[in-house]
Amino acid sequence: MSEADERAAAKARSIDENEPPPASPMDAKINGTPFSELMNQAVKLKSSQTAIDRRKFDSWPKFYQNSVYVKEDIQEARLKPFAERIVSARAHKTTADAAFREGNLMEASLNYEYALGMFKHARNTDPNWRKKGIDDAVLVEVEYQPANGAERAQIAALSLSCYLNVSRCYFKSAEFLTARQACDAALAI
């Protein structure tokens, strides 16, 4: 190997023998550029590529967008009859109330959103969406249709309380737009 080839190989490896090894993989450099910066650029590129396919999704309030990203047990509970759904929704609200009192705003808002999602949520119909990303073409909005006035009243009371509490969580987290959107949803009931 010639001297020029050795210099080129050393430069390609971008290893400065005078520097200590990186503390974490995100601190590593590739051709002099920090890995974390490359990852941020990749995320921005992917986000801009998918933005065209998710305009409707991006227009939804954050708490409604979150209804797409739920665990399997929540998805299963959404398919049950009203009596079981309302019990599940109330259990999530109780968990959220306790988390809010403890100051755990993320846990509180997540459980309020689970409670709301028992009766109104968005669902992705593409089984591989987690690999592909969100696409409006395969999103469906699902809203439970109450069988009678009693069901409608129970859903409205629970939803009103949850929307107001979601608003409190986001307000305390300084996410004022989402807090206002939750208030608007409460007023629409």
Side-chain angles (χ1 to χ4, degrees):
M1 182 181 272
S2 74
E3 188 177 324
D5 290 338
E6 287 179 26
R7 281 195 308 265
K11 185 176 181 182
R13 287 192 305 267
S14 293
I15 297 174
D16 185 349
E17 298 188 13
N18 295 329
E19 289 185 28
S24 79
M26 295 301 281
D27 294 335
K29 292 185 178 182
I30 299 172
N31 291 332
T33 305
F35 180 73
S36 60
E37 186 177 321
L38 292 172
M39 285 301 295
N40 285 337
Q41 290 172 358
V43 167
K44 287 178 185 175
L45 177 64
K46 183 66 176 173
S47 295
S48 67
Q49 289 172 338
T50 60
I52 295 168
D53 299 331
R54 49 184 278 169
R55 288 191 176 128
K56 177 172 69 171
F57 178 83
D58 288 339
S59 72
W60 291 338
K62 189 177 195 177
F63 55 85
Y64 191 61
Q65 289 176 350
N66 291 343
S67 72
V68 173
Y69 308 103
V70 294
K71 301 178 288 184
E72 196 170 313
D73 62 322
I74 302 295
Q75 292 174 2
E76 291 171 5
R78 290 173 172 175
L79 300 173
K80 298 192 179 207
F82 175 79
E84 293 176 57
R85 280 189 200 203
I86 196 75
V87 167
S88 179
R90 287 178 178 148
H92 284 294
K93 183 183 178 304
T94 300
T95 301
D97 290 342
F100 187 85
R101 280 191 299 275
E102 294 169 6
N104 188 344
L105 300 176
M106 184 172 285
E107 182 72 19
S109 64
L110 181 69
N111 277 282
Y112 287 130
E113 291 166 10
Y114 286 162
L116 288 164
M118 289 297 145
F119 301 103
K120 183 178 179 182
H121 62 274
R123 185 171 54 86
N124 202 317
T125 59
D126 182 351
N128 296 317
W129 71 272
R130 291 188 190 269
K131 293 178 184 174
K132 297 177 187 176
I134 300 288
D135 183 352
D136 287 347
V138 293
L139 286 176
V140 293
E141 294 185 73
V142 179
E143 188 166 2
Y144 177 82
Q145 297 303 313
N148 54 49
E151 284 185 7
R152 186 175 294 105
Q154 289 180 64
I155 293 169
L158 178 84
S159 297
L160 178 63
S161 178
C162 286
Y163 280 128
L164 292 173
N165 289 328
V166 163
S167 178
R168 290 172 60 200
C169 290
Y170 282 105
F171 186 83
K172 283 184 166 256
S173 299
E175 294 188 44
F176 302 116
L177 174 61
T178 306
R180 193 185 107 237
Q181 290 169 324
C183 286
D184 291 342
L187 288 170
I189 291 178

